[in-house]
Amino acid sequence: VKAWVDQEIHNAQSVGNMPASLRKFIDIASACLKLNNFQCMKTVVGGLEKTYVTEHMPSWEVVPVEHRRIFNDLKELVARKN
């Protein structure tokens, strides 16, 4: 799943739609958490944290603050579970 998330964001970057793709995967990870599917949530968050994705920080600046907050909360939860 990590590789899929990374590849989808890479593909979105090619067409200039990376912020929307980031929002989509943050929403997916959040939905997994609500369904108590911690493994899937952790894997999606891991995909969003991959080097390629995190290197494109300008795209993150366009992501709404609420989505960035949710993502940071999810990252903290994953860190606590490890």
Side-chain angles (χ1 to χ4, degrees):
V1 173
K2 284 183 186 179
W4 171 66
V5 172
D6 183 51
Q7 184 63 44
E8 287 298 312
I9 292 172
H10 179 74
N11 291 343
Q13 191 264 342
S14 299
V15 296
N17 204 17
M18 192 172 188
S21 186
L22 292 169
R23 287 191 313 269
K24 175 180 76 172
F25 282 110
I26 292 168
D27 288 341
I28 290 171
S30 182
C32 290
L33 179 62
K34 289 175 185 168
L35 293 169
N36 292 323
N37 189 340
F38 297 106
Q39 186 61 41
C40 185
M41 182 270 298
K42 180 180 174 182
T43 305
V44 173
V45 169
L48 288 168
E49 290 184 304
K50 287 187 77 167
T51 303
Y52 176 81
V53 177
T54 57
E55 285 178 354
H56 288 83
M57 293 309 286
S59 294
W60 281 98
E61 292 173 5
V62 183
V63 173
V65 173
E66 180 63 18
H67 276 81
R68 285 184 285 171
R69 185 193 59 75
I70 292 168
F71 181 57
N72 287 330
D73 291 347
L74 293 171
K75 287 193 310 186
E76 287 178 24
L77 180 61
V78 168
R80 282 187 296 195
K81 293 282 185 183
N82 288 329

